[in-house]
Each structure stands twice: as structure tokens, then as C-alpha cells.
């Protein structure tokens, strides 16, 4: 018997006991009145009030039905004109990198090379010499030149600080000369497998730009942050999630980060539920620990392993069948040999893990679907239900769409990637391939399980942007008229459902979270206004009134 159903049954029993076991109706801990409620429950999508007790939803329905649970100790929250939805579950985040984007150097909105250099210069001014400058999320595609920066740009302002700042997609970094020197990288250093040390075509010297696997030549020599530093950054990220109505995250973690999460949780300070993925390289260690899919509890889940099939479209390293339109010399990069990827998937599936595989290019998606199909054939049925997923699933050919459905693979997509990448995607891969990329509407309308996320730090963690992107496929400021590949647009109901119930399904928890329904976990987000009554453009600035996790208010806007 799988644990999901056991757990679901336990939750239902708990709520029945609370609701009907006594003559007097149970007293709710909290009742929400006045807001419209979108439940994401297909059988009863709308309600007017809800009651919460012991971290679970006790009742959802009319104000009358809910009011009978109001007792002396009940907190009654009135949010007239608001909209309550199941708490957002971001199916793909990098909490530490995201936290760093809140507390570290900010390069994302530097408008050109000069501003980029000036920000770095200002940042190092008070920094002890020798301290590394990292991350930053720069984006050369937003600059008039659209050219990669080079070490020559930043060397004059960083003579005493090694710099290794990363593009917002995480696939390209810029090192200054000091960083290259410390890492021992010279003109003669060969490109590693799966990576590029970009070189000046005339001198052959490294320009400082390191792509994909080449980045590790530098990162491996950067001192690792200690738990205290990780905690400082993670706490900023957790608070940010609460402010944005994000109640669950599925996070690219590692052993150190997991330790810090556990520490915060043991102090009762964790306000977001975490599905903590491990790099697939840690699998052996996980097996030894007895971890596999469905391990953990409702606060920290484990048993998903993360792997990569390719790089990113922005970096030109996503793996396609055909060469890039703007660079016919390459079709992108596979992260490993096909054989190794197939073996990893087969082993992870056999060991009872769920697999989250990053695949962006059409070939990467196709090869991973092949590998999953092969693993299922060889491993046969599994007692632990499979919730394998492809992360990003950006370019997927028609024939592979059917395989997503047949194999039950979850498409874990980030709507905000579409409206960000559309600035340059047609230039890079051509219009024909864009036609079968970022196909969110196709996934959802053809019955493929779809989870929504942001890939924060790559995109903002803000769910309002994801909803807007999925529904309009327009830039936040508007355009292109009618949306980019408008046939892929979806409704707000569909977008909210993918962002809540869809993401819960991806972690196997659709029986306990992702809906506002009796017996479900009381993770709820309330907007100050009803998004359904507003233009999508207005959603972007509608304040989050309240975020509730486990029946407790973890964020509340100041009331006017
Ligand atoms: Zn990611």
C-alpha cells in the first residue's frame, strides 16, 4: 500500500473526528470570510468561506456552513473582495541561489556593460580584499550589445577580488583575471567534457566566459560557505516565499542545505514545505540511508534525485536534433553520454527514487523519454508509485508529447521562462522550433500532468508573474499583441490549478495538498482582490493579503 493513500486516509479520519465526532460542532482555529475561494477541486471549484483546525481544512463552503464552526477561541479573518486559493507550490526552485539574489550583488537589471561594471566596482569597494564576488544573475541579452562581457571589462575595477559572476540561467559565468589565475586556467587549459572555455579568436586567450561544465573549473576552488552563511541566505528566501504566497517549494538541495533546513525546522521556524531533491550523484549515499521516494514527512520530503540532460537555450547549450539557427556550428551539448544517462535513470528508477531530469532541447527531451521508457520496460512495475518528471520540457516534438502522456511523465514547466525567453528564442532556434517550445497549453489540454514553477533564481519567485505569463504570453508591459504563440495560452483556473494541484501531483501529494478541500493541509494564499475580476496586467501588483501554512498565518499584509 502506498504511503500517499495511507496518509490521505489518516488525514480524512482526523478531519471526520474533528467535524462529526462530537455533538457540538468542532471549534475552528480560524475562519476566513468575505473572500471568494477558488479551491482547485474540480468537483466544487468555488466557495465563499473556509474553516481551519489543527493545520487542516475543516470545512469549505457557504458562509453559513462555515459559521457554525466559529467558537470563542476562533480567529475570524474578514477579507472582503479578496481571493483565496490553495497555497502556491513552486515545483522548481533554487532557494539558496534565490536567497543570494536577495542579499548579494544584483546584476540582473544592469542595463548595459558599463552599468554591469559599475555595480561590481561599487560592490567590491567595502569588501575585504580576496573575498570572492559571485552569482549576480546578469543578462547580456538585455544589453544593447547583446554580447557576453569579458574579463577585460571588469579587471580594472577588481584587481584585489576574484570575480565569478553568473548569468541568470546559471549556465554561463564570467571570471576576472584573478579568478582565472587562482583556478590555474591558461590559454592551454583544455575544454572539459560538456563545457566551453570561451577564447579570443585571435589570441586564443580565455575571455573569462565559462560555459556549463567549464564553470566547475573555477567553482571547485571557491571556498564553500558554512552553515551559518547558508542559513542567513535561506532565511531570506523563506521569508520571501511567505510574502509571495508560496507555501511549498521543490528545491534543488544538497546534504548541507538539507541540514540547514532541518535545523530551521527543529526550531519551529520553517514556514514553507520543502521537497528536497538531491543531486543524482548522491544516490548511493541515499540508498545507504534508506531514503527513497516518499521518504520524509509533510514538511521536508525526500527521495527525488535531480539530473541534467543538457544545458540552456540562453547559453546555446540546450541539446537539439538540428543546429542552432544563429550558430549552425552547434546543436548544443548533452551533459553525459546517452548510455550513462540511460543507466542513471534505470538505476534510480529501480532503487525507488523519483527522477527530476532537466531537459530543454528537443533531443534532450526525446532521449530522456527513451531512457524512461527503457527503464520501465526493464524494471517492470514498481511498488513505489512513479512520479518522474522532466524539468523545463521546453522544446518537445509532437511525437514526444504522446510519450509524456503514455509514460505518465510530468511536465514541470516555468511559464515566466516563456515570456522572458521570447525576447530572443526565435533568433536562436527559429520560428518553426519555437512553435513546439514552451507549449504549456498543449501539455495541459492534452492531459499531461503539468506542474508550475519558476526556477527561481532564474526567474522571480513571484507566482503572479507565472499566472500572467501562462494566461497572456505577453511581456509584463504588454505585447506581442494577442500573445506569443497564443494557442498555448490557458485560463486563470488552469494556471492556478497547475501551480497548486499540478505541483502537488508532481511530488505525489495531490491527496493531501494543492486543493482547498476538507481534510487537506491548510496551506492557503489570499490575494487582496479577486484576480478573476481584473485584467491580467493588474494581477502583477495585487498584494498578497495573507499566507497560511499548516493553518498558521505566516505572512499578513499590514491592513490599511
Ligand atoms: Zn533550475
Amino acid at each position: 500500500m502506498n504511503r500517499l493513500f495511507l496518509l490521505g486516509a489518516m488525514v480524512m479520519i482526523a478531519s471526520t473526528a474533528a467535524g462529526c465526532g462530537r455533538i457540538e460542532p468542532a471549534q475552528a482555529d480560524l475562519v476566513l470570510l468575505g473572500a471568494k475561494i477558488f479551491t482547485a477541486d474540480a468537483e466544487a471549484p468555488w466557495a465563499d468561506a473556509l474553516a481551519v483546525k489543527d493545520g487542516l481544512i475543516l470545512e469549505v463552503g457557504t458562509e453559513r456552513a462555515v459559521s457554525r464552526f466559529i467558537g470563542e477561541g476562533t480567529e475570524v479573518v474578514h477579507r472582503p473582495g479578496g481571493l483565496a486559493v490553495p497555497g502556491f507550490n513552486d515545483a522548481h526552485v533554487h532557494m539558496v541561489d534565490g536567497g543570494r539574489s536577495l542579499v548579494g550583488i544584483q546584476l540582473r537589471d544592469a542595463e548595459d556593460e558599463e552599468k554591469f561594471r559599475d555595480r561590481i566596482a561599487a560592490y567590491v569597494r567595502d569588501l575585504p580584499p580576496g573575498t570572492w564576488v559571485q552569482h549576480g544573475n546578469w543578462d547580456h541579452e538585455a544589453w544593447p550589445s547583446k554580447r557576453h562581457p569579458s574579463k577585460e571589462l571588469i579587471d580594472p575595477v577588481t584587481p584585489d577580488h576574484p570575480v565569478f559572476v553568473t548569468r541568470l540561467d546559471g549556465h554561463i559565468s564570467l571570471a576576472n583575471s584573478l579568478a582565472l589565475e587562482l583556478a590555474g586556467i591558461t590559454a592551454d587549459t583544455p575544454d572539459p567534457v560538456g563545457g566551453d572555455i570561451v577564447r579570443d579568436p585571435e589570441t586564443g586567450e580565455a575571455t573569462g566566459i565559462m560555459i556549463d561544465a567549464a564553470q566547475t573549473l573555477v567553482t571547485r576552488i571557491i571556498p564553500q560557505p558554512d552553515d551559518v552563511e547558508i542559513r542567513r541566505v535561506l532565511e531570506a528566501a523563506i521569508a520571501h516565499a511567505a510574502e509571495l504566497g508560496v507555501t511549498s517549494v521543490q528545491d534543488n538541495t544538497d546534504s548541507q542545505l538539507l541540514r540547514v533546513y532541518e535545523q530551521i525546522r527543529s526550531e519551529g521556524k520553517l514556514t514553507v514545505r520543502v521537497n528536497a531533491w538531491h543531486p543524482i550523484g548522491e544516490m548511493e549515499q541515499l540508498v545507504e540511508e534508506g531514503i527513497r521516494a516518499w521518504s520524509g514527512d509533510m514538511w521536508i520530503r525526500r527521495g527525488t534525485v535531480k539530473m541534467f540532460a543538457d544545458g540552456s537555450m540562453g547559453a546555446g547549450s540546450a541539446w537539439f536534433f538540428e543546429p542552432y539557427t544563429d550558430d549552425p556550428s552547434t546543436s548544443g551539448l548533452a551533459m553525459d553520454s546517452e548510455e550513462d544517462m540511460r543507466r542513471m535513470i534505470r538505476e534510480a528508477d529501480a532503487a525507488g527514487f523519483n527522477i527530476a531530469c532537466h531537459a530543454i532541447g528537443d533531443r534532450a527531451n526525446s532521449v530522456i523519454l527513451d531512457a524512461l521508457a527503457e527503464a520501465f520496460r526493464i524494471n517492470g512495475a514498481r511498488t513505489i508509485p512513479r512520479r518522474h518528471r522532466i524539468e523545463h520540457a521546453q522544446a518537445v516534438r509532437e511525437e514526444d508529447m504522446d510519450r509524456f502522456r503514455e509514460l505518465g511523465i510530468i511536465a514541470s514547466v516555468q511559464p515566466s521562462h516563456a515570456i522572458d525567453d521570447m525576447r530572443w528564442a526565435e533568433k536562436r532556434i527559429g520560428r518553426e522550433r519555437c512553435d513546439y517550445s514552451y507549449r504549456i497549453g498543449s501539455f495541459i489540454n492534452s492531459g499531461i500532468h503539468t506542474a508550475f514553477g519558476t526556477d527561481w533564481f532564474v526567474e522571480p519567485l513571484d507566482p503572479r508573474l507565472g499566472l500572467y505569463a501562462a494566461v497572456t504570453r505577453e511581456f509584463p508591459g504588454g505585447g506581442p499583441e494577442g500573445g506569443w504563440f497564443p494557442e498555448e495560452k490557458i485560463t486563470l483556473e488552469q494556471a492556478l490549478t497547475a501551480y497548486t494541484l499540478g505541483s502537488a501531483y508532481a511530488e505525489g501529494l495531490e491527496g493531501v495538498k494543492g486543493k482547498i478541500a476538507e481534510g487537506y493541509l491548510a496551506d492557503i494564499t489570499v490575494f487582496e482582490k479577486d484576480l478573476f475580476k481584473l485584467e491580467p496586467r493588474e494581477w502583477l501588483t495585487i498584494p498578497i493579503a495573507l499566507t497560511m501554512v499548516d493553518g498558521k498565518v505566516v505572512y499578513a499584509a499590514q491592513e490599511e
Side-chain angles (χ1 to χ4, degrees):
M1 174 110 182
N2 95 49
R3 289 186 53 182
L4 165 66
F5 297 119
L6 272 177
L7 180 72
M10 274 155 52
V11 169
M12 295 312 285
I13 291 161
S15 96
T16 310
C20 316
R22 301 165 206 163
I23 299 153
E24 291 287 303
Q27 225 184 55
D29 296 333
L30 182 145
V31 158
L32 176 69
L33 301 174
K36 193 86 197 148
I37 296 172
F38 175 73
T39 65
D41 183 349
E43 281 166 28
W46 298 101
D48 298 315
L50 62 85
V52 165
K53 185 172 177 60
D54 298 333
L56 301 176
I57 293 165
L58 178 62
E59 176 75 286
V60 51
T62 62
E63 295 213 348
R64 218 181 120 163
V66 168
S67 295
R68 70 197 165 100
F69 295 104
I70 299 175
E72 251 172 54
T74 305
E75 184 187 348
V76 181
V77 177
H78 291 272
R79 281 291 172 182
L83 172 72
V85 300
F88 290 98
N89 181 338
D90 194 310
H92 183 132
V93 295
H94 302 255
M95 289 288 271
V96 167
D97 295 307
R100 284 197 182 108
S101 72
L102 302 172
V103 298
I105 186 169
Q106 318 284 337
L107 297 170
R108 183 174 185 145
D109 55 351
E111 295 121 336
D112 54 35
E113 278 109 324
E114 287 70 43
K115 300 261 167 43
F116 169 85
R117 182 198 58 209
D118 294 349
R119 291 259 178 109
I120 294 174
Y123 187 79
V124 299
R125 210 158 289 148
D126 300 320
L127 207 61
T131 311
W132 281 82
V133 180
Q134 283 181 269
H135 317 292
N137 293 344
W138 51 271
D139 181 14
H140 68 289
E141 293 283 355
W143 300 345
S145 72
K146 302 202 186 308
R147 266 203 315 268
H148 288 157
S150 66
K151 63 180 196 228
E152 283 77 18
L153 177 67
I154 57 169
D155 276 346
V157 297
T158 55
D160 305 320
H161 297 85
V163 176
F164 196 63
V165 286
T166 304
R167 188 180 127 80
L168 52 81
D169 63 5
H171 291 269
I172 309 180
S173 295
L174 173 68
N176 67 352
S177 291
L178 182 54
L180 291 174
E181 193 188 311
L182 292 170
I185 295 165
T186 66
D188 304 325
T189 308
D191 288 337
V193 177
D196 271 325
I197 302 168
V198 176
R199 294 158 213 267
D200 185 300
E202 271 154 38
T203 63
E205 212 185 298
T207 67
I209 289 290
M210 314 288 276
I211 298 181
D212 284 316
Q215 296 176 107
T216 57
L217 298 178
V218 181
T219 53
R220 69 182 179 199
I221 63 138
I222 301 176
Q224 287 304 305
D226 59 14
D227 287 10
V228 175
E229 169 63 8
I230 294 286
R231 177 156 179 167
R232 182 179 77 95
V233 170
L234 185 58
E235 280 180 344
I238 291 171
H240 190 57
E243 281 164 24
L244 291 170
V246 176
T247 60
S248 287
V249 292
Q250 304 184 39
D251 191 9
N252 292 263
T253 57
D254 56 25
S255 314
Q256 182 186 25
L257 178 52
L258 185 67
R259 187 166 67 232
V260 178
Y261 267 125
E262 296 282 9
Q263 188 185 70
I264 294 174
R265 181 241 177 105
S266 70
E267 294 170 22
K269 291 177 182 162
L270 191 59
T271 57
V272 68
R273 299 185 196 275
V274 185
N275 186 335
W277 305 348
H278 288 260
I280 199 162
E282 292 184 5
M283 200 167 79
E284 231 169 274
Q285 183 191 325
L286 295 173
V287 170
E288 267 168 39
E289 277 180 66
I291 301 292
R292 49 187 194 165
W294 314 92
S295 293
D297 58 24
M298 286 302 104
W299 282 104
I300 300 177
R301 313 259 315 152
R302 299 176 67 188
T304 297
V305 288
K306 169 80 185 286
M307 62 177 283
F308 287 84
D310 64 348
S312 84
M313 241 190 258
S317 54
W319 192 28
F320 284 93
F321 284 106
E322 304 289 333
Y324 279 82
T325 308
D326 64 351
D327 184 0
S329 72
T330 175
S331 306
L333 297 166
M335 276 289 161
D336 277 294
S337 73
E338 268 188 66
E339 208 180 298
D340 280 346
M341 291 195 277
R342 285 213 304 270
R343 180 186 45 78
M344 281 192 269
I345 285 177
R346 213 166 52 230
E347 289 175 0
D349 179 71
F353 292 100
N354 284 333
I355 300 161
C357 184
H358 167 117
I360 294 204
D362 52 13
R363 187 157 180 199
N365 277 280
S366 192
V367 163
I368 293 307
L369 289 165
D370 287 343
L372 287 161
E374 182 190 77
F376 296 175
R377 231 175 13 249
I378 294 172
N379 295 340
R382 207 170 85 160
T383 47
I384 304 169
R386 291 179 164 118
R387 291 293 157 89
H388 300 314
R389 42 202 282 173
I390 293 188
E391 299 305 311
H392 315 304
Q394 275 177 5
V396 180
R397 300 178 312 172
E398 204 52 49
E399 55 266 46
D400 289 329
M401 293 295 279
D402 297 334
R403 300 204 300 153
F404 262 95
R405 204 174 26 254
E406 285 154 17
L407 295 168
I409 306 305
I410 295 146
S412 170
V413 298
Q414 301 77 30
S416 47
H417 273 323
I419 63 166
D420 195 26
D421 295 0
M422 70 186 186
R423 290 177 287 133
W424 44 257
E426 287 182 49
K427 176 185 86 179
R428 183 135 310 158
I429 60 168
R431 193 162 171 86
E432 207 180 299
R433 278 186 288 193
C434 284
D435 192 30
Y436 62 82
S437 298
Y438 310 94
R439 42 194 328 186
I440 293 167
S442 299
F443 282 131
I444 290 178
N445 292 319
S446 65
I448 292 166
H449 289 291
T450 307
F452 274 8
T454 57
D455 207 3
W456 187 48
F457 65 111
V458 181
E459 299 292 338
L461 183 64
D462 193 342
R464 297 170 297 186
L465 182 65
L467 297 175
Y468 171 86
V471 172
T472 68
R473 295 178 72 94
E474 291 187 25
F475 290 115
E481 182 75 37
W484 191 56
F485 294 94
E487 63 281 4
E488 294 293 340
K489 292 197 283 191
I490 57 172
T491 66
L492 180 56
E493 286 94 329
Q494 287 177 310
L496 284 167
T497 304
Y499 223 137
T500 54
L501 192 57
S503 296
Y505 180 88
E507 47 177 341
L509 292 179
E510 74 280 8
V512 287
K513 70 178 179 184
K515 277 189 205 177
I516 298 181
E518 217 183 300
Y520 271 63
L521 297 173
D523 298 352
I524 296 162
T525 299
V526 184
F527 290 98
E528 209 157 275
K529 291 187 180 153
D530 183 355
L531 272 51
F532 286 90
K533 292 191 177 139
L534 299 169
E535 288 299 316
R537 190 93 56 88
E538 296 173 281
W539 303 346
L540 296 169
T541 52
I542 294 303
I544 305 294
L546 183 148
T547 307
M548 188 193 297
V549 179
D550 206 43
K552 293 183 188 67
V553 175
V554 298
Y555 169 79
Q558 303 290 356
E559 282 186 75
E560 286 133 44

